[in-house]
Every structure is written in C-alpha cells, then in structure tokens.
Amino acid sequence: MDQSLTQLPLQAQTPVPPTCDSPVLARLIRHRVASGETIASIAQKYDLIPATLMGMNPSLRSGKAPVGSEILVPPYNGIRVELAAGQTLKDLAKKYNVRPDVLFEVNGCQPNPRIVFVPGVNWSPIAAPNATPSSQERRILSGSPLAGQSTQPIEILGYGWVVHSTTGKVAFHSGIDLEAALNTPVVAVGNGTVAFAGTQGAYGNLVVINHAEGLQTRYAQLATMQVKAGQVVKRGQQLGTVGTSGQPSSTAPHLHFEVRSRSRLGWVAENPKNYLAGNL
C-alpha cells in the first residue's frame, strides 16, 4: 500500500443516516507529492481533472506541484464551498445547477452543513462555475446537431449528475444524449474549425469543433466521420452519422453531444441547453 496515502477526516464526524455514505469532505485523501509528479499526473492517478486538485489546494494554483507537499484529493470531481449566512443547500443546488437530492446525499444527508462539496462542478479562477453564457456566445451556436429531425429530439440522458441506465450508478455526464436512428446525419451547430476527428476512448468516433469566443462542440460515438482535423466548417455542414462506437451510455441509438468553454484549466463542460435552448 502506498505509504503516502492516508484517509483524512476534514470535518467533525456527525451522525449519518444509514442510507447515506459519510460526507465527501470526510473522505478526502492526503497525497504527498513525489519527485517527477505533476498536477496532471496526480489527477490522472485518481481519475480526476487538474482543476479539481487546484480548487481543493491553493498551493497548486501556480500550476506546479511542490515536491514533498501534501495535497487533498476528493473521491471525484467537484468543488468545496462554504455556505453564506442564510444560504441553504437548495440555494446552492440552484446556483450550481446540481440536483438538490444529490447535493444532500454526497454531503452525508446533513440538514445544515457549513462547508459542502458540490459534485461535477469545475473549479476556475476566472469565472463562476456554470455562468450564464453571454448573448454573443448564444448567437455563435444554434440549431440542432441532428439533421432532418421534424421534431425536437428526445433526450435519453441529460447533462450533469445522472443515473446511467447501463450501470445503475450516479455519475457526472458531460453532455447530453439525443435519441436518433443509426446513420442519421450529424451536423455542426456553428461555424468553426475541426480540432479533432478520430477515435478516442469512450467517445468512440469523435469530431471536435472549435468556435469563436472560446467555445467548443463535441459529437461522439459516431458511425462515420466526414471531416478532417484543420478543416473549416459551416453551421449545418454534415460531420458524420449517428452510430454506436466507443462506450455508449444507452443501448438505444443516440448522439452524444457536448458544449465546452475554454479556460486556463482547459475545456470545461457546459450545459448544452444553455446555448441551444429550444433546439435540444
């Protein structure tokens, strides 16, 4: 067993209802930074993103992991938030677009916690998480990523903390899954440049487009791809077709679609419905 890892309770242990796990902030792990380790390599070791570690550990916000320093590692991605006077978990859930019951459970079903862990939110030093997109950003993306749909597509799995139909477990879903027949044309929702077109892990066949104003869209688990990296595309241009490549979250044919925004910490997943309201 790695001697640099120990369980660290960071808040007073309060009685937890038998149906709830102990609070996430009581299950943090201490990790001592070894020579050669970076923020990215430590994040990868724990299946996290670097932003999560930087949010939990101010000492990492310079971008470097000092050798010998001890950092705190949560069990999954999210941020630590101190509630303001009079603020409730329900208020916090609304602010960060997290289901209130999920927020309640991950914090040990405590009725009035002072410091809580908000799952699935990416820490950023620039803007508040889940900030409302500007009118300019909303104009950049429009329409539906599925061509030839006479009605609004059916959402199989939404953005955020959801229960996956294949595993039955609660997990963070970085995009939305839109039901569509196999080989349905998939089109760009905005003008941009193809940053990636190829196969990538659970995404399967993936097309990534970079747009203006630091926006990015991802079209995943495709059957075919009809564009190449570096190619300039227009809104409505076909990128590929709906398929089942990678590791789909549902057995029903669908398109996995994401919207991300650029920050100093990389591409942060956003709720696609904030940008394409009325089309998704």
Side-chain angles (χ1 to χ4, degrees):
M1 181 177 180
D2 189 342
Q3 296 299 313
S4 66
L5 305 180
T6 58
Q7 293 294 328
L8 172 70
L10 287 186
Q11 60 184 33
Q13 297 295 319
T14 56
V16 177
T19 56
C20 285
D21 291 331
S22 58
V24 166
L25 294 179
R27 292 186 279 128
L28 300 181
I29 290 173
R30 288 187 185 273
H31 176 92
R32 190 171 297 280
V33 179
S35 177
E37 285 189 315
T38 64
I39 299 174
S41 68
I42 298 170
Q44 184 176 24
K45 178 176 183 177
Y46 294 99
D47 196 24
L48 300 172
I49 61 173
T52 295
L53 296 181
M54 295 173 79
M56 295 293 296
N57 301 276
S59 64
L60 301 180
R61 294 177 190 174
S62 66
K64 298 180 180 180
V67 175
S69 63
E70 203 169 59
I71 63 173
L72 308 176
V73 181
Y76 38 76
N77 291 311
I79 59 174
R80 181 169 49 186
V81 176
E82 182 173 356
L83 272 69
Q87 191 176 33
T88 66
L89 280 181
K90 187 176 181 180
D91 297 330
L92 206 64
K94 183 177 181 180
K95 177 179 179 179
Y96 289 103
N97 193 30
V98 176
R99 280 174 41 190
D101 57 332
V102 170
L103 192 59
F104 182 64
E105 290 177 12
V106 301
N107 287 285
C109 299
Q110 301 176 78
N112 298 298
R114 185 177 65 85
I115 300 176
V116 302
F117 185 84
V118 183
V121 175
N122 296 321
W123 176 83
S124 172
I126 301 173
N130 293 328
T132 302
S134 67
S135 58
Q136 172 64 20
E137 289 173 325
R138 287 194 295 268
R139 283 195 294 269
I140 291 169
L141 306 179
S142 65
S144 169
L146 295 169
Q149 297 278 73
S150 57
T151 59
Q152 200 166 328
I154 296 174
E155 181 182 293
I156 296 177
L157 196 64
Y159 167 87
W161 283 84
V162 297
V163 178
H164 280 260
S165 59
T166 53
T167 65
K169 297 181 178 180
V170 176
F172 184 74
H173 193 232
S174 54
I176 57 175
D177 290 349
L178 301 173
E179 186 176 54
L182 291 175
N183 300 316
T184 296
V186 174
V187 299
V189 296
N191 302 337
T193 302
V194 178
F196 179 86
T199 301
Q200 188 178 80
Y203 279 119
N205 292 330
L206 169 69
V207 173
V208 179
I209 300 177
N210 287 347
H211 306 274
E213 298 295 323
L215 294 178
Q216 182 184 86
T217 51
R218 300 185 180 189
Y219 312 75
Q221 295 162 353
L222 303 175
T224 62
M225 296 175 287
Q226 295 172 225
V227 292
K228 297 180 180 180
Q231 182 177 339
V232 176
V233 297
K234 298 292 185 181
R235 178 183 291 111
Q237 182 173 336
Q238 184 167 343
L239 308 174
T241 56
V242 171
T244 57
S245 58
Q247 298 174 21
S249 56
S250 170
T251 55
H254 64 270
L255 169 69
H256 176 81
F257 173 71
E258 296 183 7
V259 173
R260 292 181 176 247
S261 61
R262 185 172 56 210
S263 78
R264 285 171 50 195
L265 303 174
W267 292 98
V268 177
E270 306 280 359
N271 188 345
K273 290 187 175 181
N274 290 344
Y275 295 83
L276 299 170
N279 295 296
L280 299 177

